[in-house]
Amino acid sequence: MFLSLALVLLGACLGSLCALIPALHIYNVAGLAVLWLVANPGSVAPEALASFFMGLIVGYAFCNTIPAVFLSAPDDSTIFVVLPAQRYLLEGRGYEAVLLTALGGAGGLLALIGLVPIAPYLLPPLRAVTQPHIHWMLGVIIVFMLMSEWPRGGTYGSPWRRWWGAWRSLLAGWLTFLLSGLLGLVLMYRTPVPVEMAYQNLLPAFVGLFAFPALLIALFTETRLPPQHLSPSLDVTPDLALRGVAAGVMGGLFAAFFPIVTGGIGGFLAGHATAQRDTRLFIIGQGANKVVYYVGSYLLFFVPNLHLARGGMASMISTVFTAYTPATYYSLVAGMAFAGVIALGVLQIFARIFARLAPHLPQRALSGVTLLIMVGIVGWLTGWGGLAVAGVATAIGLIPILWGSRRMNCLGVLLLPVTLNMAGWGSVVAQWLGLI
Amino acid sequence: MPLCPSCGRPADAGNTCPHCGASLTLRLPLKILRYASLVLAVSGFIALLYMVQGAPVPQLKVSTISAVNNLAYVALAGRVTQAHYNAEQQSLSFQVLDDTGEIAVTAFRAEAEALIAAGRVPAVGDAVTVAGTLRVRDDFLGLTLNTVEALSLTSPTPTPLLINAITPDLELHAIEITARFIESREPFPGLVLLTLQDATGVIEVAFDESARLLTGDLPLLPPESVVRVRGIVTLFKERPQVTLTSNRHLELLPPDTVLELATEPTTLTPLAAAQLGAVAKVAGEITAVESFSTGFRFTLSDDTGSIALVVPLKMYPEISGTADLRLGAQVEAYGLVSLFNGEREIAPPAATAVILRQPSALTRTVTSIAELTLSHLRQTVTLSGTITAIDSFSSGKRLTLDDGTGSITVLIWSNVLAYVPDAARLTREQTVTLTGRVEHYRGQLELVPQLGFDVTVH
C-alpha cells in the first residue's frame, strides 16, 4: 500500500510537471514507461505501473490547463478552454481562469468518487444496452458536430462573395474533418509508423493536428500579455460552480464511457445539452469535463465486471496488466483521491509561477524550443514515417486555425474511421483509397 | 497617416517604410497562407497515401507480438485450430496457430456476414493468411479482421483413410472416411457426436453448434447407413476424432453401398509411394529391428525409401518362417498404412499378410567386447562368449557375457526371451552368440537383442 501511494505521488508530480510542457501529452510519457517495461520484463510489477499511471493521469488532467491558458497550447481535451481563457488572460485574470478549471476538476473528481460504489452495478448493463448502438450514436455525434456550426459573416458584396464569406469557414471545417478522417483510415490500415511502435500510432497525428499548428502560429505572432493578477477568491457562486461541474461531469462521463469520444467532444456535447452561456460556468465545466474524461476513462478499466479499456492510458495498461479483483479498483480510487489532492496543490503553485512569468515569457522562443523537442520526440518514437504523418496532420490542423473553423473537427482522425468500421463501411472506403 | 503593415508605425506615401524598410506596395496578402494550408493539407495527404499504398503489410510471428504492437495492422499465417460463430453477437472467431504460438482472430458483424455470404468461413484445419488490427491485452492476444479481402484461406485436400489409420499424429489433417453409421448422441446441447465404423475400427465424428448455425442441420441418418465424411482430425482427451466443419461434408451414400474391406492388393507399391490410409502391398529388405512391449517393428527398405512393418506379439509366431524374419531378410507384406510419431508404418491384418521371400544372407561378424565403444551406440552388433552371471527379473533376464577380452551386460526382455531357441539352456558357463543393439545404461554399455532368434545357445 505504501509503495502504491508512493508511486501515485511520484506519478502525480511527474504528470503535473509534464503537463506544463506544451504539446507533450501524458500518453507519450506513459508510452515510454510501457516501452521500458516491455524491454525489461519483470523489472516493475504491472500493478505498480497501474498506480503510477493513475498519478500521471490525475496530475496531467489538472495541470494541462496551465499551458492551454498561459501559452494557448491546448491538447484535444482543452481546445475549448483556449478562447474564454484568452479573454481572461488579456484581462489579467489568467490565474483565475486556471483556478476555475481546477475548481471544476476537483468537482469532477468528487463526482467520480461518488460514482465509485455504484459503477460496478450500473455500468456493465449500460454497456450491454449501448454496445449494439454505438455506431449510429457516433454517426449522430459527427452529424451534430458538423451541422451545429453555422454560416457567419457574408454581408457584403455580390451574392457569390456573400455566400463564400458565410460558408468558407464552414467548408474549411468539413474539409478538416474529412482530411483528418481519411488520415485516420491511413493510420488504421496502412500506417507508416513502424510496427514495433504501433501502440504510439496516433501520437504523430495528434501532435500534428493539435500541437504543431498552435506552436507554428505562436512562432509568427507576438502576443503581449498584461500583468496577471493573483486573485485571492474566485468570481463564482456555489450555485454556478455546481452547475458548471454538473455539465462538465456529464460530458466527461459520456466521453469516458463511449469509445472514440474524447474529452473535447464530451465537453462540446455537454455544453450544448445544458445550454450554459456563462463564461465562468463554461470554464468550470471544461475543467470538470477533462478531469472526468481522463481519469474516468482510466478508472473504467478497473471497474469490477466491466474492465473497459477506454482512452490511451487504459489501452496501454491493458497490454501489461489485468485487474482480477475489486481490491485493485478500490486501491486505485484511493490513489486517485490522493493524486487529486497533490495535483490541486501543485496546480496552484504552478499557476502562481506562470501568472508571474507569463507576461515576461519569450513566447516565440518557447514555441520554437517546444516545437523542436516535439519533432525530436515524434521522430525518435515513430521514425520518418511518423514524421511524415505529423507533417500532413500539421497541414490539416492549420486549416481550422487559418480559416476560423472549429479545431474539434480534427477529431475526425478517430471519429470517421471508427464509425465507418463500426458501420461496416471502413474497409470499403479503405479499398477506395487503395489501402487494402 | 497610413500605418506600415509590418511595424505598425506611421509611414508616408512611398514604396518602403522609413522605420523598418518593409515594402509598402509589393506585399503578399496573408490570406494566401489560408489557401496554402489547403493545398498543403490535400497534397500532403495524397503524397502520404501514395507512400503507404505500395507498402507491404508487416508479417509477424505470434510469439514476437508484445504490448508495443498493440493496434498494429499486421499479417499472420498459420493453421486454424478452432472456429466459433456467435450468432447473438454476429461474430466469427477462429484460433490461428503458427509455428510459434496461437492467436484469436475475430470478424465482427459486417465482416462476419460477408465471410458467411462469400462462403469463406475459416474451418478447423484450413491454412490461412490473415491481416488485421492487433489487440494486445495482458490476458488476451487477438487480431481483428477488418475486411474479407484480408483473409486468404486454403482448405486442405482430404486424404481417404481407413479409420484405423487415423492416429493422433494426424491432428489438424483433412481426411475422408467411408464408414457405417452406428449411432448419434448429443452429450450437451449444441454438440452432435456420430459414431462411425469401418472394417478397421470405430471413430466419433463431432459436429458443433457453430458448424450447425453456419451450414445447417445434419441429414437424418438411418441406422446402419453408409456415409462418406470429409473432416479434420482433432483430439479429444488425446484420442483422435473427426471434426465436421460443414453439413455438406457428410454424404449419405446409396442404401446398397457395400463398404470396402481391407483386401490384399494385387500389385506391389514402391515403399515411398505407400499412401497414408491406403491398404498397400510392399516388399523390401529388413534393415532394422526393434522390439517393444506389444510386438516387433521391422524397418523395410527398398530403392525408393523405407516403411515400418509392425507385427503384433500375437501375430508374430503365426508368420511362416518367423525364425528367418531377421536383419537382411527379404519380406513382402500388405496392410493399412498409417502414421506413428511422424513415420509411416504398415499394419498387416493377419499373419498370412507377411511373407518371407528370402532369408537373410548377411554374414554376422563377431565383434570382441573390448572393441565396443560409445560410437557403437544404437548399432546392431554380434557378440560371442560365455555367460558368467545370470539374473532373472519380472520382465526378462540380465546376463553377463565374457568373451575373454571383456564382459558386458546382455538384457533380454521377456517378449524376446519367449522366442529364444533352447532358452532353458541359458545358464552360467554356457557359450552363446547374440546379435542385438548396443545401448547405454547407468554409464555402462549393454547389448539388447531385439529378436529371440538372434540368440544362439551353443
Side-chain angles (χ1 to χ4, degrees):
Chain A
M1 190 63 192
F2 175 75
L3 175 70
S4 201
L5 283 178
L7 286 166
V8 167
L9 175 67
L10 177 69
C13 292
L14 188 64
S16 304
L17 266 174
C18 290
L20 301 182
I21 303 169
L24 180 67
H25 203 289
I26 202 63
Y27 291 166
N28 311 144
V29 181
L32 293 177
V34 170
L35 193 65
W36 187 79
L37 187 70
V38 169
N40 303 279
S43 54
V44 175
E47 53 267 42
L49 198 67
S51 297
F52 177 64
F53 278 10
M54 178 54 89
L56 278 183
I57 196 89
V58 173
Y60 179 79
F62 272 95
C63 292
N64 70 348
T65 314
I66 293 175
V69 170
F70 289 109
L71 305 172
S72 302
D75 68 1
D76 57 294
S77 70
T78 51
I79 42 179
F80 288 104
V81 178
V82 174
L83 280 179
Q86 275 284 318
R87 202 182 313 151
Y88 266 64
L89 198 63
L90 294 175
E91 290 168 0
R93 298 169 65 189
Y95 177 74
E96 193 178 353
V98 171
L99 289 195
L100 282 174
T101 63
L103 177 67
L109 212 59
L110 283 174
L112 278 180
I113 291 170
L115 285 169
V116 161
I118 58 169
Y121 307 101
L122 180 71
L123 297 181
L126 186 63
R127 183 196 188 191
V129 169
T130 54
Q131 188 74 21
H133 304 287
I134 284 175
H135 63 288
W136 67 258
M137 290 169 90
L138 288 176
V140 168
I141 289 172
I142 292 174
V143 170
F144 182 70
M145 265 174 61
L146 298 177
M147 298 292 288
S148 60
E149 204 167 11
W150 294 91
R152 54 181 182 271
T155 49
Y156 302 106
S158 65
W160 161 248
R161 287 189 72 85
R162 288 207 303 276
W163 180 87
W164 175 241
W167 278 83
R168 61 185 181 187
S169 65
L170 213 61
L171 292 172
W174 293 356
L175 181 69
T176 305
F177 183 85
L178 178 70
L179 285 174
S180 58
L182 293 177
L183 178 68
L185 276 169
V186 169
L187 294 179
M188 190 169 278
Y189 287 101
R190 203 55 76 90
T191 177
V193 173
V195 70
E196 58 274 14
M197 292 306 292
Y199 77 117
Q200 293 282 12
N201 191 19
L202 288 172
L203 161 73
F206 268 79
V207 169
L209 290 169
F210 293 98
F212 284 175
L215 292 169
L216 281 173
I217 295 295
L219 268 182
F220 297 104
T221 53
E222 185 70 70
T223 310
R224 293 186 192 283
L225 297 178
Q228 299 296 306
H229 177 63
L230 298 181
S231 168
S233 58
L234 297 176
D235 174 27
V236 67
T237 60
D239 167 57
L240 204 66
L242 208 60
R243 280 162 51 202
V245 168
V249 168
M250 271 177 59
L253 285 178
F254 185 80
F257 190 72
F258 278 84
I260 308 306
V261 178
T262 64
I265 301 171
F268 161 76
L269 294 177
H272 277 270
T274 53
Q276 309 289 1
R277 294 193 177 276
D278 192 292
T279 308
R280 297 165 296 172
L281 190 149
F282 182 79
I283 294 176
I284 292 170
Q286 291 297 319
N289 169 71
K290 70 183 168 72
V291 168
V292 172
Y293 163 66
Y294 275 123
V295 183
S297 60
Y298 182 58
L299 198 60
L300 285 179
F301 179 65
F302 303 94
V303 173
N305 309 321
L306 187 69
H307 302 297
L308 201 57
R310 294 279 189 253
M313 201 64 114
S315 173
M316 276 185 274
I317 196 71
S318 74
T319 60
V320 292
F321 179 62
T322 306
Y324 290 107
T325 65
T328 313
Y329 172 57
Y330 291 107
S331 91
L332 278 171
V333 169
M336 174 183 81
F338 179 52
V341 173
I342 303 294
L344 262 175
V346 172
L347 172 83
Q348 289 183 57
I349 297 167
F350 286 157
R352 279 173 181 271
I353 295 170
F354 265 77
R356 288 207 175 95
L357 289 178
H360 315 292
L361 281 177
Q363 302 255 358
R364 280 187 182 175
L366 203 62
S367 300
V369 170
T370 308
L371 193 65
L372 284 177
I373 291 172
M374 286 312 294
V375 168
I377 289 176
V378 171
W380 174 50
L381 285 177
T382 60
W384 290 108
L387 285 174
V389 171
V392 174
T394 304
I396 298 170
L398 277 170
I399 297 175
I401 294 178
L402 295 172
W403 287 83
S405 55
R406 280 183 188 153
R407 295 186 69 192
M408 191 177 63
N409 288 327
C410 293
L411 288 172
V413 71
L414 288 176
L415 281 170
L416 189 67
V418 173
T419 308
L420 285 175
N421 270 350
M422 284 185 166
W425 302 330
S427 56
V428 179
V429 179
Q431 277 173 322
W432 290 346
L433 293 172
L435 296 172
I436 51 177
Chain B
M1 183 175 287
L3 301 178
C4 167
S6 287
C7 67
R9 284 177 281 188
D12 291 330
N15 288 337
T16 53
C17 171
H19 306 290
C20 66
S23 171
L24 297 174
T25 51
L26 297 170
R27 297 184 68 85
L28 192 67
L30 279 178
K31 71 177 180 184
I32 199 109
L33 283 177
R34 287 180 172 179
Y35 294 98
S37 73
L38 292 183
V39 173
L40 201 62
V42 174
S43 58
F45 175 75
I46 292 170
L48 183 72
L49 198 59
Y50 182 74
M51 179 179 123
V52 298
Q53 272 175 345
V57 178
Q59 183 142 1
L60 295 186
K61 291 281 184 188
V62 174
S63 66
T64 62
I65 298 168
S66 71
V68 294
N69 303 122
N70 191 27
L71 301 177
Y73 191 81
V74 299
L76 298 160
R79 193 170 287 278
V80 177
T81 58
Q82 288 176 45
H84 179 69
Y85 176 61
N86 186 327
E88 198 179 325
Q89 296 182 351
Q90 293 174 295
S91 67
L92 261 173
S93 57
F94 49 98
Q95 294 286 124
V96 175
L97 175 77
D98 68 9
D99 50 358
T100 67
E102 203 166 24
I103 189 169
V105 180
T106 309
F108 295 99
R109 293 190 190 89
E111 285 72 31
E113 282 173 20
L115 284 174
I116 295 167
R120 296 180 62 199
V121 176
V124 176
D126 286 351
V128 294
T129 300
V130 59
T133 310
L134 274 178
R135 304 284 173 195
V136 183
R137 299 281 290 258
D138 176 50
D139 56 350
F140 171 78
L141 193 58
L143 185 105
T144 304
L145 183 69
N146 302 304
T147 169
V148 180
E149 286 73 21
L151 171 77
S152 68
L153 59 91
T154 312
S155 297
T157 308
T159 309
L161 291 182
L162 291 166
I163 288 174
N164 199 31
I166 302 171
T167 60
D169 285 26
L170 291 176
E171 187 183 8
L172 296 181
H173 280 70
I175 55 107
E176 180 185 290
I177 52 175
T178 304
R180 193 172 301 285
F181 165 66
I182 304 298
E183 63 167 1
S184 167
R185 62 194 175 91
E186 204 169 336
F188 56 82
L191 178 69
V192 176
L193 289 177
L194 308 175
T195 306
L196 302 185
Q197 184 179 34
D198 70 3
T200 65
V202 176
I203 200 161
E204 285 193 320
V205 175
F207 187 66
D208 67 15
E209 182 71 358
S210 293
R212 190 186 70 78
L213 287 170
L214 291 167
T215 64
D217 290 318
L218 287 175
L220 276 175
L221 299 176
E224 297 291 308
S225 55
V226 178
V227 292
R228 182 176 296 131
V229 169
R230 278 176 290 133
I232 304 296
V233 179
T234 53
L235 299 185
F236 178 70
K237 292 185 177 173
E238 305 301 315
R239 281 173 46 206
Q241 64 173 14
V242 178
T243 295
L244 201 56
T245 56
S246 165
N247 66 344
R248 292 185 295 277
H249 294 163
L250 185 141
E251 187 185 350
L252 182 61
L253 299 178
D256 55 349
T257 305
V258 178
L259 271 181
E260 283 181 31
L261 296 173
T263 51
E264 181 181 351
T266 51
T267 55
L268 279 174
T269 306
L271 292 180
Q275 291 293 318
L276 190 65
V279 174
K281 188 175 184 178
V282 297
E285 180 186 327
I286 297 175
T287 53
V289 180
E290 185 183 357
S291 73
F292 55 97
S293 58
T294 58
F296 300 92
R297 176 188 290 263
F298 299 93
T299 302
L300 302 187
S301 301
D302 68 5
D303 296 338
T304 65
S306 62
I307 198 166
L309 172 67
V310 179
V311 178
L313 219 50
K314 276 184 185 172
M315 191 189 291
Y316 180 65
E318 295 169 12
I319 295 173
S320 173
T322 311
D324 289 321
L325 210 60
R326 298 166 66 187
L327 215 58
Q330 296 287 336
V331 172
E332 181 183 301
Y334 74 89
L336 181 66
V337 180
S338 61
L339 204 63
F340 182 74
N341 283 346
E343 289 181 13
R344 288 174 313 141
E345 59 180 32
I346 192 162
T352 51
V354 182
I355 298 166
L356 179 73
R357 280 174 149 189
Q358 195 180 320
S360 174
L362 287 180
T363 311
R364 290 163 199 269
T365 311
V366 175
T367 307
S368 66
I369 293 172
E371 284 178 54
L372 289 182
T373 63
L374 277 175
S375 64
H376 290 88
L377 207 59
R378 309 291 293 172
Q379 287 184 12
T380 301
V381 300
T382 301
L383 303 177
S384 192
T386 306
I387 299 170
T388 57
I390 192 158
D391 172 32
S392 296
F393 59 104
S394 60
S395 305
K397 280 189 180 203
R398 193 176 286 112
L399 320 174
T400 303
L401 186 74
D402 195 316
D403 68 352
T405 68
S407 66
I408 191 169
T409 299
V410 177
L411 182 67
I412 308 176
W413 295 107
S414 53
N415 59 331
V416 174
L417 191 65
Y419 298 100
V420 173
D422 291 330
R425 290 172 57 214
L426 281 176
T427 52
R428 283 189 62 179
E429 306 303 328
Q430 187 66 51
T431 307
V432 289
T433 300
L434 313 101
T435 301
R437 203 161 61 193
V438 179
E439 301 285 3
H440 190 249
Y441 183 68
R442 291 189 177 173
Q444 298 290 320
L445 292 179
E446 60 180 26
L447 187 77
V448 184
Q450 301 296 312
L451 294 171
F453 298 105
D454 281 344
V455 179
T456 308
V457 184
H458 298 292

